[in-house]
Amino acid sequence: MAAEHAEPTEPTDPVARLADEVVDHRFKGLPPDAAGLTVGELAAQRRSVFTGGFTTPVLTLSAEALEHNLRQLGEYTARHGLAFAPHGKTSMAPRLLRRQVDHGAWGITAAVPSQARVYRAFGVRRIFLANEVVDAAALRWVVGELAADPEAEFVCYVDSVRGVELMDGALGAGEGAGKAARPLDVVVELGVPGGRTGVRTSEEAVEVARAVAAASSLRLVGVAGYEGEVPDADADRVRAWLRSLTSLAVELDAAGLLNGLGGDGGDGRIVVSAGGSAWFDLVAEEFAALPELSRPVLRLLRSGAYVSHDDGHYRRLTPFNRVPDEGSLLPAFRLWAQVVSRPEPHRAFLNAGKRDASYDLGLPCPVAVRTADGVERDAAGLEVVRLADQHAFVTLAPGAELEVGDWVALGLSHPCTVFDRWQLIPVTEADGTVTDLVRTFF
């Protein structure tokens, strides 16, 4: 299809400039005849993902499901008095991060400094880095960003005296780029025995907090952690851990160890943060019960998988299954693959595999079949039983039909490991019309 080339986007908005990127061989699944068009030009053509030259396998995102999910969590967090910093590492997609902020997000959560660099490149000003950072080069980059942008905010974890010493050494020594112009805000991470990072006891937390108080370049602004790492997590165990977290906030505040975000003038907020995508209802309940502290509290939820949701792990565990009156989430992914071989009566092979689909928390599940004449039906009787690098092994129950050339829509589990396999993802309407393309940066 020929397209009239549009004028480049004004260079002031880095997210808008993504529409000026040229479509080429780097992006799998896109139409070969679209090479040379910009992303914006291809989206403007409103091609069908089924008949517009897209090649299989191709991952799509439902425009309807994305908007629904963004609205649901925006409304939920506002209703429960929660600030929201969704974990951007789920998608690493600037357009989706921008939409999350537009739906009321306080900021965006990162897992490592390289993700934070992407966020900053696309204008994110508030970053909560849910990890310890003891890399001197990364810390110097952070303080450089804070010095260059007075409105930028950055918070990260600490969980050891040694870590605090390394951070202070990197930020407090010398002058110029290596010297922090303002203190770096940190939160004590509370972990759990047998879990991941974080202090294991309140005594350890106090020791770390006192080390931060003695550091010239750091400021302790609160406490945080991740309830999803509680071993054998269930409602009782998660609730108990959350109460330990809020109790720790009370203890550190009573000891005068919490300064609060922007706390130089004494009016900064104390951060209390948790929240993956499986237990945010309990987070909301326990954070609501937090006693009054010496300063206002920023109750910060960090759930990220909601934006695309999925057909497996999170669909089973979403809190909206427990409290359906609070809302709902829709799976936004569809990985369309094609039947390329039917070598045995009850076996078919699709041309999508580990390089295309997540499989760490469950294999893909067939949800629809589209025949060569465009008829779509349910995928009953089909099951993906194994993935190779570029093939899905599908078994057919007696009576199930599947022909070479059919397209099969696969539902996927675990958004974090879906997005990292695709750099440019078509966003489609219900009939398959492509209305946008989402760029990722993993």
Side-chain angles (χ1 to χ4, degrees), residues 164 167-172 180 182-185 212 214-219:
V164 169
M167 295 178 75
D168 195 38
L171 300 177
R182 50 179 159 133
L184 178 62
D185 292 331
V212 173
S216 63
S217 61
L218 304 177
R219 176 171 56 199

Side-chain angles (χ1 to χ4, degrees), residues 98-161:
R98 173 68 59 82
R99 291 180 67 182
Q100 290 172 308
V101 171
D102 290 344
H103 278 79
W106 171 89
I108 303 294
T109 296
V112 290
S114 60
Q115 294 170 0
R117 289 187 64 196
V118 173
Y119 302 170
R120 289 294 296 157
F122 288 94
V124 176
R125 281 194 155 150
R126 286 175 172 158
I127 296 173
F128 186 99
L129 201 153
N131 207 343
E132 284 71 23
V133 183
V134 295
D135 183 300
L139 289 165
R140 287 193 293 269
W141 170 79
V142 170
V143 298
E145 292 295 300
L146 294 174
D149 183 358
E151 295 185 22
E153 295 182 43
F154 185 93
V155 182
C156 69
Y157 285 173
V158 290
D159 75 348
S160 68
V161 172

Side-chain angles (χ1 to χ4, degrees), residues 402-418:
L402 204 57
E403 296 290 335
V404 170
D406 288 348
W407 285 38
V408 178
L410 299 175
L412 303 175
S413 183
H414 199 192
C416 300
T417 54
V418 177

